[in-house]
Amino acid sequence: MNRVLAAGIAALLALGSVLVVSTSAQAHNYLVQSTPKAGETLTTLPEKFSVITNDILLNIGKGAGFALQVKDSNGLYYGDGCVTVDGPGISTPAALGAPGKYEVIWQVISTDGHPVSDEFSFTWSP
């Protein structure tokens, strides 16, 4: 009886460890760094705007499914719309208009194949 109980416990532990590994392997990417940072006030224009995630992104070619847009409070978009995908991050050349509040809207394809998107704001005060 003790052997059967021990074998059952061992099987449950093995199954539990497989489920934990499987779950973590299929977790979505998440934001770990950005330029600019959420809520930041920029006084000089960076070379590029970027979003960096915790893991390599799934780039199936030519940046399909990726976006990094910058929009002012009047709804005008800035930049050329071209996104570079590099490992865990995306970037686009920086361009802004008049001083004020801006919003960064981004989307990436997570390592597990799911799209992940979010947005944050910053202030431009040259």
Side-chain angles (χ1 to χ4, degrees), residues 25-98:
Q26 293 193 8
H28 300 324
N29 290 42
Y30 56 87
L31 178 71
V32 295
Q33 183 181 349
S34 66
T35 300
K37 294 178 179 75
E40 181 178 7
T41 297
L42 289 179
T43 56
T44 59
L45 189 63
E47 180 181 324
K48 61 185 177 180
F49 293 126
S50 64
V51 168
I52 309 296
T53 69
N54 65 308
D55 202 355
I56 301 298
L57 298 169
L58 182 60
N59 187 3
I60 57 175
K62 299 183 182 177
F66 294 87
L68 183 58
Q69 300 175 323
V70 179
K71 179 173 75 167
D72 70 12
S73 58
N74 294 320
L76 299 174
Y77 288 88
Y78 293 86
D80 62 8
C82 295
V83 176
T84 300
V85 181
D86 186 17
I90 59 173
S91 63
T92 190
L96 295 173

